[in-house]
Amino acid sequence: MSTYELSRASYDLSKRYLAGGVASSLRAAMKPVPLFAESAQGAIVRDVDGNEYVDYLLAYGPLILGHAYGPVNEKVYAAMQCGITFGLQHKGEIELAKLLTEVLPCADKAVLSGSGTEAVMLALRLARAYTGRSKIIRFHGHYHGWSDSIYTSFPSADMPSASASASAEREHAVPPGTAGQSELSLRDVILLPWNDAAALEAALDEHEGEIAAVISEPVMCNSGCILPRPGYLELMREATASRGIVLILDEVITGFRLGLGGAHGRFGIKPDLVTVGKAMGGGFAVSGVAGRAELMALIENGTVSHLGTLNGNCVATAAALATIGELAKDDGAAYVKMEKNASKLTVGLRELLGKHGIRGVINGIGPVFHFMFTEQSVVEDFASFNLRDSAKYALFAERMLDAGVLVRTNGLWYVSAAHGDAEIEATLRAADRVLGGLQ
Ligand SMILES: Cc1ncc(COP(=O)(O)O)c(C=O)c1O
């Protein structure tokens, strides 16, 4: 049995000074205690009690090359010797923006920010300024950061939704995600079921001339890693383009994870704007918005403000350039490795479910997948995702921790280029033991 005594003591101490004891609210959910890390290297993280884990949390996604990846750290360190941030322009910004326009198929131009939340805020602002309209369509089960402009209570199946036939009052009832958020901030947000072409078309017809943007994760990574149904993203693209609506694909998770061109490159869909973050910086704080020149022109001509003291700082640009450079090496060998290992894991986990007679579903694409316990045979929309046994999964996650594997409590697994055969095999052995005890 692992002990977590020092993590528990650190948590108690932290709570005396750091409100809530964790730096991002979600982290408090971890059982048996929010872990305190001591150090990490590659695919392995070590906590303050000396326990070591194969890490599939990967800091909620960014660590695509694993922890403390030497070649990236060296480039960041070298950049830091010349100054960390200037509030002036520097060549790293040009190089990174140019690289984004080369690898992201939808990008004529790009801008740089610090977090996914900021990137989404800017994309929504560009869409409203460009169209002169105010309403935004977003979807159940998607997460686009915690800004007032888009954050709803993390959607659940029973929350009020704006179906195609919903009245204006119900649309306005999209609930804020947190106390302290003005209800007015979501007045223009319409919430729809995802992967439902009819609901989307009906809402677009009902609100003809009012919608500025449709924002969507291209794969519903935040709720079940659910793939778009065949033709759904294509329909979303056509239906928005024909109505002059800006299509924003939020690729904060999928960008640089599903390939250099993100999900839109992989699926061959060209959104008007794309938001990227997480894997782009390999763990350093950087994000971006990229897209069509006409939209970006609003920043160029001063119509839309885009601000941020640390935007484009030398650490961020060096980290992103180095991370993307590593991912691009040898024709994307890192992606081939990650996909092979993710596939070994998902095949192995499915076999173990069969062996132990446990019903479950694993949805995934490339090096990200969602593992859930459910009586459903397929989970391809938010309603069926909500039928999973999340308490059982949380118990599984807690026991996996005890067996030396760190997985997120909600079921989303990330695989990095640092994971190899040894880690995958150790993970499957641990899962075998844990699943055996769960029946
Ligand atoms: C799809 C998506 N968009 C935006 C965000 C917000 O990014 P950040 O946490 O960097 O602000 C997230 C974070 O998980 C995300 O998954």
Side-chain angles (χ1 to χ4, degrees):
M1 280 281 284
S2 302
T3 67
Y4 305 103
E5 273 169 40
L6 293 179
S7 272
R8 285 186 210 283
S10 303
Y11 188 41
D12 288 341
L13 182 63
S14 181
K15 281 190 281 189
R16 281 171 48 192
Y17 307 106
L18 183 65
V22 293
S24 176
S25 303
L26 209 57
R27 298 179 199 163
M30 188 172 189
K31 298 276 182 259
V33 63
L35 276 192
F36 279 69
E38 178 75 43
S39 63
Q41 188 66 52
I44 307 295
V45 63
R46 186 185 171 91
D47 70 14
V48 288
D49 286 282
N51 304 307
E52 288 193 350
Y53 310 96
V54 182
D55 185 6
Y56 298 96
L57 178 69
L58 294 180
Y60 293 81
L63 300 172
I64 192 147
L65 299 170
H67 290 273
Y69 187 69
V72 172
N73 284 358
E74 279 158 26
K75 292 210 167 114
V76 169
Y77 186 73
M80 285 166 67
Q81 307 316 300
C82 304
I84 290 169
T85 188
F86 306 118
L88 301 172
Q89 290 50 250
H90 65 101
K91 78 170 189 306
E93 294 170 320
I94 307 175
E95 286 172 11
L96 179 55
K98 178 168 177 283
L99 183 57
L100 292 179
T101 64
E102 286 163 0
V103 299
L104 298 171
C106 75
D108 297 326
K109 289 201 175 169
V111 296
L112 303 174
S113 286
S115 68
T117 296
E118 289 171 273
V120 168
M121 280 162 55
L122 177 65
L124 297 175
R125 186 178 284 181
L126 284 170
R128 286 190 168 122
Y130 182 72
T131 57
R133 306 172 187 163
S134 56
K135 289 194 189 300
I136 304 288
I137 288 182
R138 60 156 294 168
F139 299 95
H140 277 294
H142 293 208
Y143 174 67
H144 302 293
W146 62 289
S147 78
D148 275 16
S149 58
I150 196 80
Y151 185 49
T152 72
S153 56
F154 201 73
S156 68
D158 55 356
M159 74 185 280
S161 80
S163 72
S165 59
S167 67
E169 292 83 61
R170 282 189 67 206
E171 283 167 26
H172 294 178
V174 174
T178 169
Q181 184 180 357
S182 164
E183 295 203 11
L184 291 181
S185 58
L186 297 175
R187 192 188 52 193
D188 288 325
V189 172
I190 298 171
L191 193 56
L192 295 181
W194 191 69
N195 245 348
D196 183 339
L200 177 61
E201 285 192 297
L204 292 176
D205 286 344
E206 188 182 341
H207 296 283
E208 186 76 52
E210 296 175 322
I211 312 284
V214 171
I215 182 167
S216 176
E217 291 183 56
V219 175
M220 186 156 68
C221 289
N222 275 296
S223 298
C225 211
I226 296 172
L227 287 168
R229 291 199 170 103
Y232 180 63
L233 289 183
E234 288 78 1
L235 174 126
M236 190 184 277
R237 175 62 289 184
E238 279 160 33
T240 48
S242 64
R243 293 168 171 89
I245 295 168
V246 174
L247 175 60
I248 304 168
L249 287 186
D250 182 354
E251 296 230 41
V252 168
I253 290 182
T254 51
F256 298 100
R257 179 156 284 283
L258 300 192
L260 287 181
H264 77 282
R266 191 159 173 147
F267 297 152
I269 302 284
K270 251 189 171 185
D272 300 294
L273 293 173
V274 67
T275 52
V276 284
K278 293 201 192 252
M280 169 187 179
F284 289 84
V286 60
S287 68
V289 180
R292 272 175 45 212
E294 296 96 302
L295 282 141
M296 293 295 169
L298 297 171
I299 296 173
E300 289 159 9
N301 65 24
T303 307
V304 165
S305 301
H306 170 236
L307 301 162
T309 302
L310 294 176
N311 285 356
N313 69 76
C314 308
V315 170
T317 56
L321 282 165
T323 302
I324 299 169
E326 291 296 313
L327 291 169
K329 264 190 188 160
D330 305 325
D331 284 334
Y335 289 109
V336 176
K337 180 180 178 194
M338 288 188 284
E339 300 218 359
K340 191 183 85 200
N341 283 330
S343 164
K344 266 195 204 161
L345 265 177
T346 53
V347 168
L349 288 168
R350 284 193 190 104
E351 277 171 15
L352 291 172
L353 285 173
K355 172 177 167 185
H356 294 291
I358 296 175
R359 305 268 330 250
V361 164
I362 300 175
N363 285 334
I365 177 165
V368 56
F369 63 89
H370 199 121
F371 182 19
M372 60 198 105
F373 299 122
T374 177
E375 294 302 311
Q376 319 285 298
S377 333
V378 286
V379 173
E380 53 180 37
D381 55 33
F382 189 58
S384 50
F385 173 67
N386 276 311
L387 298 174
R388 76 200 183 284
D389 187 341
S390 44
K392 185 169 177 175
Y393 190 86
L395 182 63
F396 170 77
E398 188 175 338
R399 294 199 179 159
M400 284 296 275
L401 198 66
D402 195 43
V405 181
L406 173 57
V407 292
R408 195 175 152 180
T409 339
N410 85 338
L412 192 64
W413 294 47
Y414 292 105
V415 175
S416 79
H419 287 86
D421 288 343
E423 285 83 15
I424 306 299
E425 280 155 24
T427 304
L428 290 173
R429 279 197 302 275
D432 194 7
R433 289 199 300 279
V434 172
L435 289 171
L438 268 192
Q439 289 149 312

